[in-house]
């Protein structure tokens, strides 16, 4: 590319210059050797020879001219020269930093960069207070702004008018800057990176190349003003910073430029460089040694130099604006007329380490041959001499070794976490070796624990660098590392101490299967199902489970939810699955297995030939754990059910699960509820459903699929002929997604149950589903609860039921359904072809008329078994109609009328119905207005009723008298199993008398409250 050619040409020029210098030196050396051989072994009168050749006359002439020049010089010594010109009022005294700044580094000086480099640089140039404030460059007189300069570098083709140009009196036309497209910069970066790759160095980023190009243009003034003036004690430098930048520190940009210099410096050929300063007086630290015997200072800003001594000399003699102190090559061949004052020329030799960055290929002014050193470069004075009106200062460079690439700067916090993980793991390993030396059989346990800890710690430092630049995330990571190490160490110690106590009959000396006493082998051999829910962490549940799996060869099902199983326990269980060849069902939900334990289980599942069901929901396995499981079961021939609910899987894992489903031919049920799947996750699942031919149940509740994901799934249902259950509740689905589902139900003939509750489905969505119900002959259950279908949408569904002959369960709770819908539903329930078994109309706006309509329909209906009208307003009028229907209805098993303003008339009517009804088993009357009189009637009914098993009277208004009637009735009633009288006034005394004289009912602990503490009544 063009940039690559320029770069190679410059290096060839450098090689040619060097070879010419070397040839001249070689000629002098040859001459000296000839003279030496002439003198060897003979007496040669060198003085006579010189006199004969008239060389002495030439030497005398040279000395004479030099004496004349010295006599006319403004100063004879460096100190004298400096003192003279430092007193000139036109001279600006330069300011350099000290070693404390050198060792502190750039980040301490200007702060940390933005984690998003591109956005950070853009904001600093386009959204800062000075972004549109014009400034004039001191070298070429360009009038521009920070916003314009960023556009000049990043998008030069977007500007319709001419770019700000140089003052033609200060620069030759052929040297004026020209815009280049970003593609040209990219080609330079590509060429540069090939060279860096050969050296094994980090590659240059486009952002770094753009930052370097920005520096070579007008923006150098602002950047160096920040570096010199921010926090400076020098009033002039502070004022320059305030006037130019107005407080904008360009922090991210400066870090990016410094990073470019660090990388490009690896490619620079070591050579002497020069820097000229006009109208400047060096500080005293350059002439007086400090307490350590050195002279010099630390340059706070970027330091531009050139390999061309004549260019630097021109600048030092006044060839550039007096107050810039910038690039030595800024005015090559284009000197500006300023008053000549004592100039300073730095002569600096680069070395193996101390090299600047050659910016010519990226520069806006390639003719300047600029070599730039990063901020905080140390300048140590090796010597000084005077040449006419110039002070020549010989400098030894020390680049700042604390200078970092932008990747290193942004990764400092992540490195802290990584180093901490390494130290924690090393400390854990040392403790394990010391412990295992005293407990031989503890070694396998310790080894597994170490592996689990290593896996978990890897997760803490696996995020990108930007993640740790958030203080909260960094704190969580550090705290997580410490806590995880403590947890695993505690788990190991607990296992070693508690295992023998936990399983005294299974363990004698060591936790191995061969330790089982013979008289227990037969007992354990007969066990096929074990449930150990809620075992505490101190019981080392994971290791106990592993031991059981090794011992119980006939074990088919093991359930250990909420048993405090950690990653170590999960790994132990996984290790034992190989020997438990008969295990088919494993439930480890709601534990703390994490990604580490999940990785071990995934490997075990992959090799299992018997496992059919695996439940790992709510275990913190994350995306990594989910992907490992997906890969493990891709070709499983046995696993049919996988539970991963509440696992924070994300779309990436959903994609892995989708790929697994495309190849797997055994999985029947997949549960990924509340696992942070988004629209992309829904699309991935839909793609799998189009080809997968075994999955019958898919639970996606509590994710964020929205209309895009749900529409994709609906489209898949057109071709899928296996899925029977689909749960899309709480997924942000609105009318658009529901319309797609309705269209799919018109064509699909296998889906039996669909749940779209807790979404944002409105009238249109409800109507679309209603239209589908008229044609669909497969759907048996539809849950539209907690949506916004309203009267119109619900009425459309009710009308559809007049034609539908398959739907058995319908939920319209929380949909603002009113009496009009109830009248239509009642018509559908009256028809002989009604198949609805369960109807949920809770939390709607149903009044007395709606209650009457439903009640009258119950008189003729012979299919409905469950009816819920809780949280409506049917009152006594609606309750009377329902009670009347109960006297002749023999199919209803469950009736919920809580929170319906049922009073004495309603409760009394229900009591009369209960005396005659012989099928109702569950009656909920909670939070109504039933007083002692109504409860007395219910008590009389209980004495005669023999079908009711559950009665809920929670939070009614009866007292001791009503309680006594209930207690009296229980002496005769033998069917009631559950009675809820919580939050009812003064009913506890009656309950206690019942306990003392009759059988004891199971009364909810949370419902029945005594003055000081809750009581739990268990069945005798």
């Amino acid at each position: 590319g063009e940039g690559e050619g320029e770069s190679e040409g410059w290096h060839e020029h450098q090689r040619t210059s060097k070879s010419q210098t070397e040839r001249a030196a070689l000629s002098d050396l040859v001459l000296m050797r000839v003279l030496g051989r002439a003198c060897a072994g003979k007496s040669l009168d060198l003085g006579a020879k010189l006199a004969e050749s008239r060389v002495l006359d030439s030497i005398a002439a040279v000395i004479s001219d030099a004496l004349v020049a010295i006599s006319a010089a403004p100063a004879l010594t460096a100190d004298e020269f400096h003192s003279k010109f430092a007193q000139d009022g036109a001279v600006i005294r330069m300011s350099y930093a000290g070693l404390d700044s050198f060792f502190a580094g750039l980040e301490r000086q200007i702060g940390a960069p933005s984690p998003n480099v591109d956005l950070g640089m853009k904001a600093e140039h386009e959204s800062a207070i000075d972004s549109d404030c014009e400034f004039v460059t001191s070298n070429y007189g360009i009038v521009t702004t920070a916003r314009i300069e960023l556009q000049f570098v990043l998008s030069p083709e977007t500007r319709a008018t001419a770019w700000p140009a140089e003052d033609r009196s200060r620069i030759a036309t052929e040297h004026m800057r020209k815009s280049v497209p970003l593609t040209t910069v990219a080609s330079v970066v590509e060429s540069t990176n090939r060279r860096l790759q050969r050296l094994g160095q980090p590659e240059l980023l486009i952002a770094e190349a753009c930052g370097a190009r920005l520096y070579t243009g007008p923006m150098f003034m602002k950047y160096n003003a920040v570096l010199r003036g921010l926090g400076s004690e020098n009033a002039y430098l502070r004022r320059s910073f305030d006037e130019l930048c107005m407080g904008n520190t360009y922090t991210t940009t400066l870090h990016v430029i410094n990073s470019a210099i660090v990388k490009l410096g690896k490619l620079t050929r070591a050579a002497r460089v020069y820097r000229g300063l006009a109208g400047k007086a060096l500080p005293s630290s350059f002439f007086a040694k400090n307490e350590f015997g050195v002279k010099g200072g630390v340059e706070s800003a970027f330091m531009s130099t050139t390999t061309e001594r004549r260019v630097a000399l021109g600048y030092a003699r006044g060839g550039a604006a007096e107050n810039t102190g910038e690039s030595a090559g800024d005015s090559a061949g284009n000197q500006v007329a300023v008053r000549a004052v004592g100039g300073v020329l730095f002569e600096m030799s680069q070395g193996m380490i101390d090299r600047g960055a050659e910016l010519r290929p990226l520069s806006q002014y390639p003719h300047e041959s600029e070599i730039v050193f990063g901020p905080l470069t140390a300048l140590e004075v090796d010597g000084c001499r005077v040449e006419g009106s110039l002070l020549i200062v010989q400098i030894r460079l020390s680049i700042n070794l604390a200078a970092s690439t932008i990747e290193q700067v942004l990764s400092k916090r992540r490195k802290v976490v990584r180093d901490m993980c390494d130290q924690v793991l090393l400390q854990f390993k040392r403790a394990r070796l010391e412990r295992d030396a005293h407990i031989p059989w503890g070694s396998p346990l310790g080894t597994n624990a170490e592996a689990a800890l290593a896996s978990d710690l890897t997760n803490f430092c696996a995020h990108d660098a930007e993640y740790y630049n958030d203080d909260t995330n960094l704190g969580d990571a550090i705290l997580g590392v410490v806590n995880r190490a403590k947890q695993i160490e505690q788990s190991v110690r607990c296992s070693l101490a508690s295992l023998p106590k936990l399983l005294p009959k299974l363990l004698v000396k060591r936790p191995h299967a061969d330790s089982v006493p013979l008289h227990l082998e037969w007992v354990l051999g007969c066990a096929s199902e074990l449930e150990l829910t809620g075992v505490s962490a101190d019981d080392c549940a994971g290791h106990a489970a592993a031991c059981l799996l090794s011992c119980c060869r006939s074990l088919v099902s093991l359930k250990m939810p909420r048993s405090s199983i950690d990653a170590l326990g999960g790994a132990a269980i996984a290790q034992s699955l190989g020997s438990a060849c008969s295990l088919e069902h494993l439930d480890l939900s709601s534990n703390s297995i994490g990604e580490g334990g999940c990785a071990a289980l995934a490997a075990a599942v992959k090799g299992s030939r018997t496992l059919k069901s695996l439940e790992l929901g709510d275990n913190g396995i994350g995306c990594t754990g989910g992907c490992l499981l997906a890969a493990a079961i891709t070709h499983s021939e046995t696993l049919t059910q996988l539970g991963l609910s509440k696992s924070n899987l994300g779309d990436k894992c959903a994609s892995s699960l989708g790929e697994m489903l495309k190849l797997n031919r055994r999985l029947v049920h997949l549960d990924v509820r509340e696992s942070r799947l988004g629209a992309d996750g829904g699309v991935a699942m839909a793609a799998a459903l189009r080809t997968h031919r075994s999955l019958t149940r898919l639970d996606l509740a509590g994710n964020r699929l929205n209309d895009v994901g749900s529409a994709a799934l609906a489209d898949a249902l057109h071709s899928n002929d296996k899925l029977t259950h689909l749960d899309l509740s709480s997924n942000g689905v609105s009318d658009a997604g529901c319309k797609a589902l309705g269209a799919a139900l018109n064509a699909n003939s296998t889906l039996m149950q669909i749940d779209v509750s807790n979404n944002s489905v409105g009238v249109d969505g409800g109507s679309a589903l209603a239209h589908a119900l008229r044609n669909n002959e497969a759907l048996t259950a539809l849950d539209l609860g907690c949506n916004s279908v309203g009267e119109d949408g619900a009425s459309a569904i009710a009308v559809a039921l007049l034609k539908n002959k398959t739907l058995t369960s319908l939920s319209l709770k929380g949909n603002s359904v009113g009496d009009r819908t109830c009248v239509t539903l009642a018509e559908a329930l009256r028809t002989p072809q009604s198949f609805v078994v369960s109807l949920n109309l809770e939390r709607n706006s149903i009044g007395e008329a709606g209650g009457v309509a439903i009640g009258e329909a119950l008189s003729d209906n012979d299919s409905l078994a469950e009816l819920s009208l809780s949280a409506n307003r049917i009152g006594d009028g609606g309750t009377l109609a329902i009670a009347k229907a109960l006297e002749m209805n023999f199919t209803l098993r469950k009736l919920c009328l809580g929170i319906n303003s049922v009073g004495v008339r309603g409760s009394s009517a229900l009591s009369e119905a209960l005396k005659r009804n012989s099928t109702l088993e569950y009656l909920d009357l909670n939070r109504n207005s039933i007083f002692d009189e109504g409860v007395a009637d219910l008590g009389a009914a209980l004495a005669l009723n023999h079908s009711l098993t559950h009665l809920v009277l929670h939070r009614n208004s009866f007292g001791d008298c009503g309680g006594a009637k209930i207690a009296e009735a229980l002496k005769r009633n033998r069917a009631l199993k559950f009675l809820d009288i919580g939050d009812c006034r003064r009913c506890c005394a009656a309950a206690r008398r019942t306990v003392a004289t009759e059988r004891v009912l199971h009364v909810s602990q949370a419902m029945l409250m005594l003055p000081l503490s809750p009581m739990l009544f268990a069945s005798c």
Side-chain angles (χ1 to χ4, degrees):
E2 177 184 348
E4 183 176 357
E6 290 184 0
S7 178
E8 294 300 330
W10 168 245
H11 288 294
E12 180 60 31
H13 167 71
Q14 290 288 81
R15 287 192 290 270
T16 301
S17 300
K18 182 177 181 181
S19 62
Q20 291 173 350
T21 303
E22 290 175 346
R23 283 197 297 270
L26 183 61
S27 299
D28 293 341
L29 179 61
V30 171
L31 176 62
M32 295 301 104
R33 284 178 174 172
V34 170
L35 288 174
R37 283 194 295 271
C39 295
K42 60 182 71 174
S43 176
L44 178 65
D45 189 351
L46 188 59
K49 295 291 184 183
L50 291 173
E52 292 175 4
S53 62
R54 298 182 178 274
V55 172
L56 292 178
D57 293 340
S58 299
I59 293 175
V62 170
I63 294 174
S64 176
D65 291 342
L67 291 174
V68 172
I70 290 174
S71 65
L76 298 179
T77 67
D79 289 340
E80 180 183 349
F81 179 94
H82 175 260
S83 298
K84 175 179 178 64
F85 287 103
Q87 295 169 8
D88 192 325
V91 173
I92 297 174
R93 182 175 294 277
M94 300 184 70
S95 177
Y96 286 86
L99 287 177
D100 53 343
S101 298
F102 179 84
F103 292 120
L106 182 62
E107 191 167 344
R108 180 72 64 84
Q109 182 181 3
I110 62 173
S114 167
N116 191 317
V117 172
D118 294 334
L119 291 180
M121 292 179 65
K122 187 177 178 66
E124 290 169 354
H125 291 79
E126 295 185 346
S127 304
I129 190 173
D130 67 324
S131 296
D132 296 308
C133 295
E134 291 186 342
F135 66 98
V136 184
T137 60
S138 55
N139 52 359
Y140 298 138
I142 299 176
V143 180
T144 186
T145 68
R147 182 190 300 276
I148 292 174
E149 289 307 308
L150 185 69
Q151 293 172 351
F152 180 83
V153 172
L154 295 185
S155 51
E157 68 283 353
T158 61
R159 188 174 176 88
T161 59
W163 294 102
E166 299 86 345
D167 182 346
R168 292 181 179 274
S169 65
R170 301 189 182 190
I171 186 172
T173 303
E174 65 270 17
H175 291 158
M176 296 174 69
R177 68 174 181 168
K178 300 176 181 63
S179 62
V180 297
L182 201 57
T183 54
T184 302
V185 176
S187 68
V188 174
V189 171
E190 183 179 353
S191 171
T192 301
N193 285 340
R194 284 197 293 269
R195 299 173 62 199
L196 288 170
Q197 289 169 1
R198 290 196 292 269
L199 296 176
Q201 297 298 323
E203 297 183 3
L204 187 70
L205 306 176
I206 291 291
E208 293 169 326
C210 292
R213 183 163 169 78
L214 275 168
Y215 171 76
T216 63
M219 288 302 297
F220 78 86
M221 290 189 63
K222 284 179 175 282
Y223 300 156
N224 280 345
V226 173
L227 293 167
R228 292 192 177 116
L230 184 63
S232 174
E233 297 179 358
N234 186 301
Y236 170 76
L237 297 179
R238 287 199 311 272
R239 184 170 64 254
S240 297
F241 166 59
D242 292 337
E243 292 174 354
L244 268 175
C245 305
M246 301 180 178
N248 184 5
T249 59
Y250 292 92
T251 301
T252 300
T253 305
L254 295 179
H255 276 289
V256 167
I257 298 172
N258 188 54
S259 179
I261 293 172
V262 171
K263 293 178 179 179
L264 293 174
K266 305 295 192 302
L267 303 177
T268 303
R269 183 181 295 275
R272 178 169 294 185
V273 293
Y274 305 91
R275 176 175 174 80
L277 304 172
K280 300 289 193 298
L282 296 175
S284 59
S285 61
F286 274 65
F287 301 96
K289 293 183 178 180
N290 63 12
E291 57 184 310
F292 304 109
V294 294
K295 298 178 289 184
V298 175
E299 173 59 82
S300 299
F302 296 107
M303 185 174 71
S304 295
T305 66
T306 179
T307 56
E308 299 292 337
R309 191 173 192 272
R310 63 177 181 80
V311 174
L313 282 173
Y315 186 82
R317 288 168 178 157
E322 212 167 275
N323 296 336
T324 63
E326 300 307 334
S327 172
D330 283 349
S331 55
N334 303 279
Q335 297 185 3
V336 181
V338 295
R339 188 168 68 88
V341 295
V344 178
L345 180 70
F346 284 167
E347 291 183 346
M348 300 171 279
S349 295
Q350 299 181 94
M352 180 183 295
I353 304 298
D354 302 314
R355 289 176 286 166
E358 180 187 320
L359 299 186
R360 185 177 186 273
L362 295 169
S363 179
Q364 296 183 32
Y365 299 100
H367 70 279
E368 293 178 351
S369 303
E370 191 172 2
I371 292 180
V372 181
F373 293 82
L376 303 177
T377 298
L379 309 177
E380 182 181 349
V381 177
D382 264 354
C384 298
R385 67 182 186 275
V386 176
E387 292 185 3
S389 62
L390 292 178
L391 174 63
I392 312 299
V393 184
Q394 295 167 311
I395 296 292
R396 181 186 302 170
L397 290 168
S398 295
I399 66 171
N400 197 297
L401 296 180
S404 305
T405 65
I406 191 66
E407 296 94 335
Q408 291 171 328
V409 173
L410 295 178
S411 300
K412 281 184 177 180
R413 289 187 164 199
R414 180 170 62 180
K415 186 177 184 299
V416 169
V417 178
R418 285 179 172 173
D419 291 343
M420 185 176 183
C421 290
D422 292 341
Q423 290 299 317
V424 166
L425 190 61
L426 180 61
Q427 184 177 358
F428 185 89
K429 184 175 183 178
R430 289 174 179 170
R432 177 182 69 80
L433 293 175
E434 293 175 2
R435 179 176 58 246
D436 292 350
H438 298 90
I439 310 174
W441 57 267
S443 183
L445 187 65
T447 303
N448 291 339
E450 185 179 332
L453 178 60
S455 176
D456 285 355
L457 295 186
T458 300
N459 297 330
F460 284 111
C461 53
H463 300 282
D464 54 29
E466 183 178 351
Y467 175 86
Y468 301 96
N469 289 325
D470 181 274
D471 292 341
T472 302
N473 293 340
L474 176 65
D476 290 345
I478 292 175
L479 190 61
V481 170
V482 174
N483 289 342
R484 190 60 190 141
K486 288 181 178 179
Q487 290 169 2
I488 290 186
E489 178 65 26
Q490 183 180 3
S491 177
V492 172
R493 294 183 182 277
C494 180
S495 299
L496 295 175
S498 302
L499 241 102
K501 299 177 183 178
L502 177 65
L503 300 171
K505 295 182 179 180
L506 298 178
L507 304 176
V508 179
K509 293 181 179 179
R510 299 180 301 160
H512 294 303
D514 53 11
S515 303
V516 180
L518 292 178
H519 69 278
L520 286 178
E521 272 192 354
W522 182 85
V523 176
L524 294 173
C526 293
S528 60
E529 296 184 7
L530 288 176
E531 183 171 353
L532 301 173
T533 303
V535 178
S536 67
D538 292 339
D539 290 333
C540 302
H543 299 289
C547 190
L548 287 172
L549 288 172
S550 299
C551 297
C552 304
R553 299 289 178 173
S554 61
L555 196 61
V556 174
S557 175
L558 177 61
K559 297 180 180 180
M560 298 189 69
R562 302 185 302 281
S563 295
S564 303
I565 300 175
D566 56 12
L568 184 60
I573 293 173
Q575 191 174 8
S576 301
L577 282 177
S579 60
C581 58
S582 60
L583 193 70
E584 297 180 0
H585 308 284
L586 179 60
D587 183 354
L588 300 176
S589 58
S590 301
N591 284 292
S592 304
I593 291 175
E595 293 180 1
C598 185
L601 285 167
V605 169
K606 186 176 182 180
S608 174
R609 298 182 179 180
T610 59
L611 197 64
K612 297 179 180 178
S613 172
L614 177 62
E615 177 57 64
L616 290 177
D618 194 17
N619 259 294
I621 66 172
C623 178
T624 302
C627 290
L628 289 172
L629 279 170
I633 65 175
T634 296
H635 300 290
S636 174
E637 293 296 328
T638 59
L639 198 70
T640 60
Q641 182 172 337
L642 178 62
L644 298 176
S645 62
K646 300 181 181 179
S647 293
N648 194 21
L649 301 177
D651 287 342
K652 181 180 178 181
C653 182
S655 179
S656 296
L657 289 170
E659 293 301 317
M660 174 271 294
L661 287 174
K662 292 177 182 178
L663 299 174
N664 183 281
R665 290 294 180 265
R666 296 288 182 179
L667 202 64
V668 172
H669 181 191
L670 177 60
D671 182 0
V672 286
R673 291 170 295 155
E674 299 181 44
S675 292
R676 297 195 177 185
L677 271 62
D680 291 341
V683 171
M685 288 293 175
L689 286 179
R690 291 187 181 94
T691 57
H692 188 72
R693 289 295 180 266
S694 64
L695 198 69
T696 61
R697 179 163 185 165
L698 179 59
D699 291 335
L700 291 166
N703 286 293
R704 297 169 293 190
L705 305 186
N706 61 49
D707 288 335
V708 175
S710 58
L713 288 165
D715 183 66
L717 290 177
H718 285 274
S719 56
N720 184 282
D721 59 357
K722 291 294 182 181
L723 200 68
T724 60
H725 294 69
L726 179 60
D727 189 348
L728 293 176
S729 59
S730 303
N731 261 293
V733 180
S734 67
D735 284 341
C738 210
K739 286 180 180 179
L741 289 170
L745 289 175
N746 278 314
N748 185 279
S749 60
T750 56
L751 194 67
M752 298 173 62
Q753 296 184 17
I754 185 168
D755 186 346
V756 287
S757 60
N758 290 290
N759 281 296
S760 303
V761 181
V763 176
D764 292 342
S767 299
L769 290 175
H771 182 268
L773 287 177
R774 294 190 183 97
N775 305 314
N776 186 282
E777 297 180 353
L779 200 67
T780 61
L782 173 62
D783 191 343
L784 263 173
C786 301
N787 279 288
S788 304
V789 300
E791 283 277 63
D792 292 339
S795 295
I797 292 174
V799 171
L801 290 180
L802 293 170
K803 185 177 180 181
N804 185 281
K805 294 180 174 56
T806 58
L807 198 70
T808 59
S809 177
L810 174 63
S811 175
L812 292 172
K813 73 174 182 180
N815 270 286
S816 301
V817 173
D819 293 339
R820 178 159 59 92
T821 299
C822 286
V823 171
T824 309
L825 281 171
E827 292 178 13
L829 292 174
R830 282 198 188 94
T831 61
Q833 64 268 30
S834 174
F835 294 94
V836 178
V837 174
S838 175
L839 179 61
N840 189 341
L841 297 173
E842 294 177 3
R843 294 169 52 194
N844 279 297
S845 304
I846 301 172
E848 183 175 311
V852 170
I854 294 294
E856 292 175 350
L858 285 177
S859 300
D860 302 321
N861 182 276
D862 58 359
S863 64
L864 200 64
E866 296 182 3
L867 173 63
S868 179
L869 288 166
S870 296
N872 282 289
R873 302 189 300 271
I874 67 171
D876 283 339
T879 306
L880 287 171
I882 292 174
K884 182 178 180 181
L886 286 178
E887 295 183 3
M888 59 190 74
N889 183 289
F890 298 102
T891 56
L892 199 65
R893 299 287 186 270
K894 182 175 181 179
L895 176 61
C896 297
L897 296 175
I899 320 177
N900 259 296
S901 302
V902 179
V904 175
R905 289 195 306 129
S907 60
S908 297
L910 286 171
S911 300
E912 290 300 318
L914 287 176
K915 293 177 182 179
R916 298 175 178 84
N917 184 281
S918 60
T919 56
L920 193 68
E921 299 173 355
Y922 188 107
L923 178 60
D924 183 357
L925 294 171
N926 82 90
R927 300 190 187 189
N928 280 296
S929 302
I930 303 175
F931 296 92
D932 286 336
E933 181 182 351
V935 174
D937 292 339
L938 285 171
L942 286 177
L944 301 175
N945 183 281
H946 301 292
S947 64
L948 202 66
T949 59
H950 287 67
L951 177 60
V952 180
L953 295 173
H954 175 68
R955 292 189 66 176
N956 274 285
S957 302
F958 63 90
D960 200 35
C961 180
K965 294 293 183 180
I966 293 287
E968 185 65 25
L970 292 179
K971 295 179 181 180
R972 299 174 59 184
N973 182 290
R974 296 295 175 180
L976 200 65
K977 297 177 180 178
F978 183 91
L979 173 63
D980 183 352
I981 53 176
D983 286 353
C984 296
R985 295 180 297 135
R986 301 184 305 281
C987 63
C988 297
R992 278 197 294 268
R993 285 195 297 273
T994 302
V995 172
T997 58
E998 298 294 330
R999 62 185 177 82
V1000 182
L1001 294 174
H1002 178 74
V1003 184
S1004 171
Q1005 177 182 7
M1007 302 301 179
L1008 180 60
M1009 303 295 294
L1010 294 182
L1012 296 178
S1013 62
M1015 287 190 62
L1016 178 64
F1017 299 101
S1019 179
C1020 294

